[in-house]
Amino acid sequence: MHAPGADGTTPAAQLQRIVQAQESKDLLRFITCGSVDDGKSTLIGRLLWEAGALHDDQLATLQADSRRIGTRGGEPDYALLLDGLSAEREQAITIDVAYRHFSTARRRFIVADTPGHERYTRNMVTGASTAALAVVLVDARKGLLPQTRRHSYLVGLLGVRHVVLAVNKMDLVGHDQAVFEDIRLAYAELAGTLGLAAVQAIPVVAVAGDNITSPSKHMPWYSGPTLLQHLESVDVDSGESRQAALRFPVQWVNRPNPDFRGLAGTLASGSVRPGDAVRIVPSGQRSRVARIVSFDGDLAQATAPQSVTLVLEDELDVARGDVICSDAAPAQAASQFQATVVWMDSEPLLRGRSYGMRIGTASAVATVMPIRHRIDIHTLAPVAAERLELNEIGEVEIEVDRRVAFDPYRDNRETGGFILVDRLFHRTVGAGMLHFALRRGDNLHWQNLDVDRAARRQLNGHGSAVVWLTGLSGAGKSTIANLLAARLHALGVRTYVLDGDNVRHGLNKDLGFTAQDRVENIRRVAEVARLMVDAGLVVITALISPFRAERRMARELFAAGEFIEVHVDVPLALAESRDPKGLYRKARSGQLKNFTGIDSPYEAPESPELLLDAGSIPAPDAAERILQRLADAGVLP
């Protein structure tokens, strides 16, 4: 039994009151960014120290480590508070995003210390994606560097509207006001070109704490706020997310019993009350809010970013990924967009390759078509590009397989931002911002015709499908395709062979053999094959088609059972020994670049409908096995 406190409350009640007091404080998320060794980690460490956010054991460890390694002026090395990885200490750089939470009497803070090196652009994007303010550090001795431009560009791109320009290491330039003013004016010019309107410049000495939490006696000429004063008082929100139009991405449909159907999620922006008129996007259905259900019971109002369950007056067809909007100001819906993408994967972004796209709670299949240009991160100028490599930023056009709800990123970061995901391995490969819809598809409508696929199949007297032969050059794909077509023709089956070499004489004569051209080659052939299957034919493709992602894309164009993937498997040594066209010899001598199996990979199918060991099975027998597979599938007459 715990004794009550002086005010008569129990310890549990006192603890609850403390927790409630903390939760009632406004939360500011901010990042620090700058070039390597500008002092980002030191600044945050000093801020935590001065704000009293460290435990006794952290202080003791910091002092012991600082004595061990030795520091400038005998000051503790505050960077040790954040650089938690031994690799970082060895390299003297931050190589990942380090997050820290601290609180003052006026506000709670989550700060992200982001890497300074260009190689870790993706890490900075991760840290800045949820930040409302950025602290951009500049070494007073060096002034603005290319990294300053890069980080400031990313800050503006990601919608971070408030910037603190922290001019650090002022002690190493004699606390000279003229040095500070030159840097402040140069940055103001840069900020103007990037649209960064709210910039507060502060001269600091992070290691000594000058202008971190209290004014510096060494720089009496500076009369502005200290860093902590600015962080505590800056109005980064102004109620924008609460005052914006309602955006409620549906996360899941809650139906515990037949009499209750709730739509659960988190308000991305705006507020909602019972009786409000709403519109479901992208379907356009309309209704009114009947109830707002929360863990604590029904609410009279919900405001971003609360998590609640909405009950509508009408039982509509609403699912995960739909967005409940204010009827007076709904989100847009589209399937084609202009966007900016920050690429985060070691495998490049290729035009025509499909990726998983997640925007809010919605998921779709996205294809980049085309890459308009990439951004030269040093000059910020657009540069022509056919692909995006790791950490590169590009302006692209994106097409998704269905209409999704969105707002331009500049208007709403929650409904305008998205990520791209590798569809095979489910890793995040890119992050992006939607700018506007491309209305090309809005004027296109599918024309229904009386003579359809079923009618053509009936007239032909057999089914239709695509036999997709894939394998190394020299595996025997074209030979097998030719034999198979002859056997089908003898049976009265209408066929057509799309041979890899043949299509490059016409349909794909503008394509080379780079990775992006190979992707486009497969996309075009797959679309033609789909039309031919719709026409009632049995289509046989004989292409290397080296990438799993594109073969998956091709498969998804067809109905279940219409796509028969056949891996014509042969050891590389055997394929190279055949070499009927002399291609391997040229590739080995360096005369032929991007040749599959030599300097470009072949990704073997993981679960094809048919695996043919072309090293041991004669081509006629291989063709017979495919013929039997078609018979088993009910394609043959």
Side-chain angles (χ1 to χ4, degrees), residues 26 107 162 230-240 242:
D26 181 35
R107 206 170 220 170
H162 294 264
H230 184 71
L231 294 176
E232 285 185 319
S233 61
V234 62
D235 185 5
V236 295
D237 183 23
S238 301
E240 290 176 0
R242 297 185 293 274

Side-chain angles (χ1 to χ4, degrees), residues 199-222:
V199 178
Q200 173 67 54
I202 304 176
V204 301
V205 181
V207 71
D210 291 47
N211 285 333
I212 302 298
T213 60
S214 56
S216 169
K217 63 182 180 180
H218 301 293
M219 292 176 280
W221 43 265
Y222 174 73

Side-chain angles (χ1 to χ4, degrees), residues 101 123 209 303 312 368 381 385 397 493 564:
H101 174 273
N123 305 66
T303 305
L312 304 181
V368 175
E397 293 180 8
V493 176
I564 301 172

Side-chain angles (χ1 to χ4, degrees), residues 296-309:
D296 298 319
D298 282 18
L299 303 178
Q301 177 178 337
T303 305
Q306 282 183 275
S307 297
V308 295
T309 296

Side-chain angles (χ1 to χ4, degrees), residues 474-628:
K477 299 181 299 299
S478 295
T479 301
I480 294 172
N482 186 48
L483 290 169
L484 177 61
R487 289 285 290 116
L488 289 170
H489 185 75
L491 293 173
V493 176
R494 301 179 187 275
T495 65
Y496 198 87
V497 176
L498 292 171
D499 183 80
D501 281 355
N502 291 352
V503 296
R504 284 183 176 273
H505 286 290
L507 176 67
N508 294 339
K509 65 181 179 181
D510 59 321
L511 300 177
F513 291 90
T514 63
Q516 53 268 31
D517 282 350
R518 289 179 182 272
V519 170
E520 177 62 10
N521 180 57
I522 298 305
R523 188 193 71 80
R524 293 183 191 178
V525 171
E527 291 287 357
V528 171
R530 177 170 68 164
L531 293 175
M532 290 184 167
V533 168
D534 189 59
L537 306 183
V538 173
V539 184
I540 307 165
T541 70
L543 308 102
I544 295 174
S545 48
F547 303 130
R548 294 191 189 105
E550 279 58 65
R551 296 195 300 268
R552 176 174 178 171
M553 175 274 296
R555 179 185 294 272
E556 291 173 346
L557 295 177
F558 299 88
E562 290 182 348
F563 187 91
I564 301 172
E565 185 178 36
V566 179
H567 181 197
V568 184
D569 190 20
V570 64
L572 176 61
L574 179 56
E576 193 167 354
S577 68
R578 295 173 175 175
D579 202 13
K581 305 169 188 176
L583 301 180
Y584 283 102
R585 185 173 63 256
K586 290 181 179 179
R588 291 293 188 188
S589 65
Q591 301 176 54
L592 190 60
K593 300 295 183 182
N594 302 313
F595 190 74
T596 302
I598 304 301
D599 57 353
S600 183
Y602 176 77
E603 299 171 356
E606 295 178 324
S607 54
E609 276 73 14
L610 200 57
L611 174 62
L612 300 176
D613 183 356
S616 59
I617 302 175
D621 293 348
E624 287 298 326
R625 289 186 59 180
I626 301 173
L627 196 69
Q628 185 60 52

Side-chain angles (χ1 to χ4, degrees), residues 77-341:
D77 185 358
Y78 301 98
L80 296 176
L81 293 169
L82 274 78
D83 289 346
L85 300 176
S86 59
E88 293 177 354
R89 295 191 186 183
E90 292 167 4
Q91 300 176 48
I93 62 171
T94 302
I95 62 175
D96 206 343
V97 182
Y99 293 93
R100 290 295 183 272
H101 174 273
F102 68 100
S103 178
T104 66
R106 299 184 61 180
R107 206 170 220 170
R108 292 179 297 136
F109 302 92
I110 295 178
V111 53
D113 180 24
T114 61
H117 200 284
E118 183 178 349
R119 288 178 296 170
Y120 306 110
T121 295
R122 58 181 175 176
N123 305 66
M124 185 196 163
V125 170
T126 300
S129 61
T130 57
L133 180 145
V135 178
V136 179
L137 268 79
V138 173
D139 188 324
R141 299 167 300 173
K142 303 174 183 176
L144 305 190
L145 297 175
Q147 290 290 71
T148 312
R149 296 176 60 84
R150 181 172 67 89
H151 290 146
S152 299
Y153 170 78
L154 289 170
V155 163
L157 179 67
L158 291 164
V160 182
R161 301 180 180 178
H162 294 264
V163 174
V164 173
L165 174 66
V167 183
N168 192 24
K169 303 185 181 181
M170 287 296 296
D171 56 327
L172 300 183
V173 295
H175 304 98
D176 190 342
Q177 180 180 5
V179 172
F180 171 73
E181 288 297 328
D182 287 345
I183 295 174
R184 183 185 68 82
L185 292 174
Y187 192 82
E189 182 178 354
L190 172 63
T193 64
L194 299 176
L196 301 173
V199 178
Q200 173 67 54
I202 304 176
V204 301
V205 181
V207 71
D210 291 47
N211 285 333
I212 302 298
T213 60
S214 56
S216 169
K217 63 182 180 180
H218 301 293
M219 292 176 280
W221 43 265
Y222 174 73
S223 58
T226 65
L227 176 60
L228 186 59
Q229 287 172 345
H230 184 71
L231 294 176
E232 285 185 319
S233 61
V234 62
D235 185 5
V236 295
D237 183 23
S238 301
E240 290 176 0
S241 66
R242 297 185 293 274
Q243 296 169 9
L246 171 65
R247 298 291 184 266
F248 184 81
V250 176
Q251 189 166 4
W252 58 288
V253 178
N254 182 12
R255 192 157 198 171
N257 59 68
D259 299 323
F260 183 89
R261 188 174 189 271
L263 305 172
T266 300
L267 275 77
S269 62
S271 61
V272 63
R273 299 176 180 84
D276 283 356
V278 295
R279 189 183 307 184
I280 314 302
V281 181
S283 69
Q285 303 170 92
R286 288 182 167 91
S287 186
R288 290 185 179 275
V289 176
R291 296 172 58 192
I292 304 173
V293 182
S294 74
F295 180 79
D296 298 319
D298 282 18
L299 303 178
Q301 177 178 337
T303 305
Q306 282 183 275
S307 297
V308 295
T309 296
L310 300 184
V311 180
L312 304 181
E313 290 182 355
D314 307 287
E315 186 160 328
L316 305 178
D317 182 14
V318 182
R320 175 182 173 87
D322 291 339
V323 179
I324 300 176
C325 305
S326 164
D327 186 50
Q332 300 178 53
S335 60
Q336 296 181 348
F337 309 93
Q338 176 128 350
T340 299
V341 169

Side-chain angles (χ1 to χ4, degrees), residues 452-464 491-495 532-538 635-637:
D452 59 10
R453 179 181 310 189
R456 288 186 284 268
R457 286 176 172 173
Q458 184 178 10
L459 179 64
N460 291 336
H462 59 77
S464 61
L491 293 173
V493 176
R494 301 179 187 275
T495 65
M532 290 184 167
V533 168
D534 189 59
L537 306 183
V538 173
V635 176
L636 301 186

